[in-house]
Amino acid sequence: MLLWTGDTYRNFAIETLNNSVSGTVNFFVGSRVAQDYGDKVTPIVNEWSRLGSLVKSFQENDQTRMKAELNILSNARQVVQGELDLIETVAYDENFTKLATSDSELGASITDDPAVLEYLKNREKAEARKPATYMWSTPDGRPVFSFILPVGGFRAVGFLEVVTDPLPTLAGIGKVLGGNFRIFDTDGTLLFESLEDGQTSEGDEQIAAADGSDGAEPGNTEATPPETAKTPDSENASATQRAAVDILISDGRGGTWAKATFDRDITDFYSQTNDLRMLSIEILVAVLVVGWLAGWVLLRTTVFRNLRAFARAMTSISNGDTNVDLPKVGSDEIGDMKKALIGLRESVRQAMILQNMVENTPTMTALITPAGTLSYLNASAQDYVGGNTDTVSGDFLNLGDDFQTKLSNPDNLPFTEVMQNDRDYLELLAAPVRDKDNVLLGTMLAWNKVTEREESRMAITEMMAEVARVAQSVTEQSEGLLGLASELTNQSENTVAQSGGALDVSREAASNTQNVATAVEELSSSIAEINRQASEASNVTNRAQQEAEESQRNIGSLEKASSEIGSIIDLINDVAHRTKLLSLNATIEAERAGPLGKGFAVVANEVKSLADQTASATGKIGELTAAIQQEVQKAAHSISTVGDVIHQVNDIQSTITQSVDEQRRATGEISENVQRIAAGAGSMDEMIQFVNDGAQSTGKNAHDLNTASHQLSEMARNLSERMRAFSERMKLT
């Protein structure tokens, strides 16, 4: 086990180290290529993109001359002197349509990537004037570096792509990382090699094994386990250990730029881990021997003695002795055993208490196993059935087969039921008995004799039936009495209602008279309202005139603001013209003095000043535009107000018409009220005669109600005698 752990740890350490190499290599390559190499070559290719002959070929769109100029770049001084390794140059128009390519067999370009091409096409003008660099790989897996530059400098007439080989800039990376670093194409051809001794080589040879390791195929991202190799420095060929890992170098856009391998010598690490493993084995053996001896002595002197004491205590508890003393132990595992035994002793004590309670309770209790066997009867149950579990079985309560079937089905439990056997009425309670795992252990059956209670219940039932019959008779008589009382009440209510009708007629006559006076007052009020509405109409007309004048003033302000906008637009045009002239001067000055020209700074400051003036003028335009909008809103509001005023005039005219109608209706109400007064006087005699007839009917109904009351009294005496007989039967008196 220890050997396996050591090997696993060692392999894990090597794998972790290999995984860290991937990030380290990506960092070094990215730093050297994307940053150092890019910063070094950018001035060179930037100078190429400004060559007059190349710019002129773009301006004339002479693709033949353009191709010749691209081929000339392969003989440039920087290429000949080895400052950069040029692979291919490509010319594009302003929309990145390919125009010409130098004489090379690369057959690929960074613009073959749709995402890169889309980005280059959609760049802002200011961004397009800056060089763009990309790390990418050809279809055959060769890592290259491209520069995208505008041709012509400030006034770009097209774009130039310069494809270079950046691998030479990685020279010495193997020595820095302390191992052998190699880059391969997709066919496994070696493209670049930097060894840990500082040597660097490039070539097309196939690499099958390096420094004694077989070397995994490029593209495998998993670490290769270390292997043993023979060094050529000794006749004995002492064993060495090397760890190899395959690496995918990122192009910075989520893709792969190159596939590389890295291997290094880990012989010293293997030697140290072997020594550590041997030392661990020796220490482990010594610890096991000492531990075995100490454990044997400890078990002999303490554990076995305590276990024998615990065994004696558990035997006593099983015999019912819950006061047995337990051995004194510490707070270790033996102490935990003592705590558990104390809990067991208390559980046994509680179980014995519960058993005594059940045994001595007056409620008769039995326990039936799931198989239907009677396993327990308490003392009161044994007295009732006249035997114990050895002499009693089956239907020991004589309750019938149906009860036994119901009792034996656990799905029916629990249930409560009152049943009669050949001797008594019994109130039965059946409930399941389960363990902590919800497993059925049996069925508890408890019962009590309730013979007297059941006989009393039956007597009460018979008495209640008799009372129900008497109550039914009383109810029928009461309903007749209720009908008579209801009729008498209705007669009385009719008498009161007719009397009230006579009073209402009188009140209505008085009210009609009052309505005549009110109608006259309303007529006067309507005339006053007509006068007030006429005055209001005059005021509204004045307001309409004022709103119209305000609308005219707002329109005048709108015209003035429009004229000011024209002046500001002229100022903007003048500033734009001056900005154009200064921009032209800055371009001429920059071309004349080159990057060291100082006049460009003065021109730039002037351009900034003119830009500030343009911004100020634009701000004024915004303010005046807002003012115009406000004035237009005011004019719209004024026009809306005029419409509202006209609408109010119409409402006032309608109000006047309604007032005239109210005068007409008030006159009609005066006539109707006079007629109601005359009609009310004629109905008074009829109402008085109706009151007299109602009084006679009330006297007859009162006689019938007296007869019914006598009959109800007789029935009540009969009910009282029956209740006295029931009390004697139930021994309540």
Side-chain angles (χ1 to χ4, degrees), residues 539-555 634-646:
N539 294 335
V540 171
T541 303
N542 293 332
R543 287 173 56 194
Q545 183 179 2
Q546 294 175 359
E547 293 294 340
E549 293 175 354
E550 181 66 19
S551 298
Q552 293 177 355
R553 288 194 295 271
N554 291 338
I555 293 172
K634 289 181 180 179
H637 177 70
S638 298
I639 295 171
S640 176
T641 304
V642 171
D644 294 337
V645 171
I646 294 173

Side-chain angles (χ1 to χ4, degrees), residues 22-202:
S22 177
T24 304
V25 171
N26 272 276
F27 171 76
F28 272 98
V29 173
S31 175
R32 288 197 178 188
V33 176
Q35 184 174 349
D36 298 341
Y37 179 75
D39 293 343
K40 174 184 175 182
V41 179
T42 297
I44 299 174
V45 296
N46 193 31
E47 180 182 349
W48 292 355
S49 68
R50 297 175 183 273
L51 293 174
S53 57
L54 180 63
V55 174
K56 189 173 181 180
S57 66
F58 272 86
Q59 292 175 342
E60 296 177 356
N61 196 22
D62 188 349
Q63 298 184 8
T64 302
R65 182 179 177 183
M66 197 181 300
K67 182 177 182 66
E69 293 293 337
L70 296 180
N71 289 327
I72 291 173
L73 293 178
S74 61
N75 296 318
R77 173 181 54 83
Q78 296 87 349
V79 178
V80 174
Q81 294 179 357
E83 295 183 29
L84 79 163
D85 185 359
L86 181 63
I87 299 176
E88 183 184 47
T89 51
V90 184
Y92 302 94
D93 63 7
E94 296 179 354
N95 294 323
F96 278 92
T97 300
K98 189 176 295 185
L99 301 177
T101 306
S102 62
D103 293 336
S104 64
E105 298 180 357
L106 186 61
S109 170
I110 185 61
T111 57
D112 295 339
D113 187 342
V116 174
L117 181 61
E118 184 70 17
Y119 168 74
L120 293 174
K121 287 183 177 180
N122 296 327
R123 289 187 300 174
E124 298 290 340
K125 290 185 178 180
E127 189 68 21
R129 296 189 183 99
K130 299 178 182 179
T133 60
Y134 292 96
M135 296 172 60
W136 60 286
S137 61
T138 62
D140 59 357
R142 180 180 181 181
V144 295
F145 194 87
S146 284
F147 298 84
I148 303 294
L149 307 103
V151 177
F154 189 78
R155 292 185 176 181
V157 294
F159 292 92
L160 178 67
E161 179 183 1
V162 180
V163 184
T164 64
D165 182 6
L167 294 182
T169 194
L170 298 177
I173 190 173
K175 186 175 182 179
V176 173
L177 297 175
N180 299 327
F181 177 74
R182 299 179 179 89
I183 295 179
F184 300 87
D185 62 9
T186 54
D187 296 330
T189 303
L190 177 65
L191 301 177
F192 176 81
E193 181 181 44
S194 178
L195 305 180
E196 59 185 334
D197 58 4
Q199 297 181 2
T200 301
S201 66
E202 297 181 58

Side-chain angles (χ1 to χ4, degrees), residues 334-378:
I334 302 298
D336 294 338
M337 292 178 61
K338 179 179 179 180
K339 294 179 181 178
L341 192 56
I342 291 174
L344 176 61
R345 184 178 62 183
E346 292 301 319
S347 298
V348 172
R349 180 182 290 115
Q350 294 297 326
M352 293 179 66
I353 292 174
L354 292 176
Q355 182 179 4
N356 291 331
M357 290 175 59
V358 173
E359 183 67 22
N360 298 317
T361 183
T363 299
M364 293 162 279
T365 306
L367 181 63
I368 304 171
T369 65
T373 304
L374 183 63
S375 62
Y376 173 76
L377 287 172
N378 67 352

